[in-house]
Amino acid sequence: MRKIKLALCDDHTLFRVGMSTILGQINDFELVLEAGNGQELIDKIARKLPDVVLLDLQMPVMDGTATADYLRENYPLIKIVVLTMHDEDRMVLHLLEKGVSGYLLKDAEAGEVEKAVRKVMDEGVYLNEFVSKAMLRKMTNKTTITKPVNAFYNSKILLSEREKEVLMLICEGLSTLEISEKIFLSPRTVEGHRLRILEKTGTKNTAGMVAYAFKNSLV
């Protein structure tokens, strides 16, 4: 059985030791790389390429946001799961837009970390209750929602009714197979809709697409 290769990037040694112990207890997980900051991760990553990076945000030398930008640009196939103490809604949506696949708080249970890793490997995104609530607050709090002026926002985006339906189900956390069974389409057709939505929204992955949808009231 192929193991899921993990990298852990956090500047707190005790946290890394604890997380390393937890990950080491999961049979098909292999921690191939540890780093104390983003620059150290980048310096090592080409030699020990992971499937998933567990990434802290606040670190010296190179922080998590800059590291995520570098990884998305240079290693787009690597999944990024943020593991942090920062629980601001703005930060959650910002990082999902940047293409991270999941966002966990450091007080998460060990089982949730395992679940997040498996989910991003299988489906490309992990949306837990915390992230879903952040998105919902952003969507419903109309007094704080403003249309961004950067290139990420496209006010002329047009989705077909089927694409809107698929997008809604993706935002509910359904997998491609689950969506195909629910709306009676083949998984290949559902995946085609997902790829077209990614192209139309200009987003990098499913997590970014979901963040875009909530931020711009598409669902």
Side-chain angles (χ1 to χ4, degrees):
M1 179 175 58
R2 180 186 181 277
K3 292 193 173 185
I4 299 173
K5 297 180 180 180
L6 300 167
L8 177 61
C9 187
D10 192 290
D11 63 320
H12 291 97
T13 303
L14 287 178
F15 179 81
R16 291 203 311 273
V17 170
M19 184 57 61
S20 176
T21 300
I22 291 171
L23 297 174
Q25 295 172 349
I26 303 172
N27 290 336
D28 60 335
F29 282 13
E30 181 183 5
L31 185 61
V32 298
L33 173 59
E34 291 187 44
N37 59 69
Q39 187 60 58
E40 183 181 355
L41 177 74
I42 289 169
D43 291 342
K44 295 178 177 179
I45 200 165
R47 299 190 298 273
K48 298 180 178 180
L49 204 63
D51 300 304
V52 179
V53 172
L54 300 175
L55 182 66
D56 189 19
L57 291 182
Q58 190 170 348
M59 298 179 291
V61 185
M62 187 176 189
D63 66 17
T65 302
T67 305
D69 284 340
Y70 180 89
L71 292 176
R72 293 307 306 156
E73 180 68 25
N74 294 277
Y75 298 95
L77 296 181
I78 293 178
K79 307 296 190 299
I80 304 169
V81 175
V82 169
L83 196 54
T84 182
M85 294 301 297
H86 293 278
D87 60 356
E88 300 92 343
D89 292 355
R90 176 190 60 81
M91 182 62 74
V92 174
L93 295 176
H94 175 67
L95 286 164
L96 289 175
E97 289 172 5
K98 282 180 171 291
V100 306
S101 298
Y103 195 106
L104 295 176
L105 298 180
K106 283 188 174 179
D107 61 0
E109 297 289 337
E112 186 177 12
V113 176
E114 179 182 356
K115 181 180 179 181
V117 170
R118 297 192 187 283
K119 196 81 168 180
V120 300
M121 285 297 295
D122 292 341
E123 301 173 16
V125 62
Y126 175 66
L127 302 177
N128 57 7
E129 184 179 1
F130 166 70
V131 172
S132 298
K133 286 182 176 179
M135 290 179 170
L136 184 61
R137 285 191 294 267
K138 186 67 174 179
M139 181 178 68
T140 57
N141 188 0
K142 300 299 182 181
T143 61
T144 61
I145 293 179
T146 57
K147 293 181 180 180
V149 297
N150 59 30
F152 183 77
Y153 179 77
N154 178 4
S155 61
K156 296 181 180 180
I157 182 174
L158 294 174
L159 299 179
S160 69
E161 289 304 312
R162 182 63 87 181
E163 287 168 348
K164 291 177 183 178
E165 184 179 21
V166 170
L167 178 58
M168 177 69 75
L169 294 172
I170 290 173
C171 290
E172 291 177 6
L174 273 65
S175 67
T176 295
L177 181 59
E178 290 169 334
I179 294 172
S180 72
E181 293 173 348
K182 189 176 184 68
I183 61 178
F184 307 107
L185 294 176
S186 69
R188 183 175 180 179
T189 299
V190 172
E191 182 64 14
H193 285 306
R194 188 187 72 84
L195 292 175
R196 282 192 292 276
I197 298 168
L198 283 172
E199 182 179 358
K200 288 183 177 182
T201 56
T203 48
K204 298 176 180 179
N205 60 13
T206 301
M209 179 174 65
V210 171
Y212 181 100
F214 278 94
K215 186 172 184 178
N216 296 297
S217 300
L218 295 181
V219 295

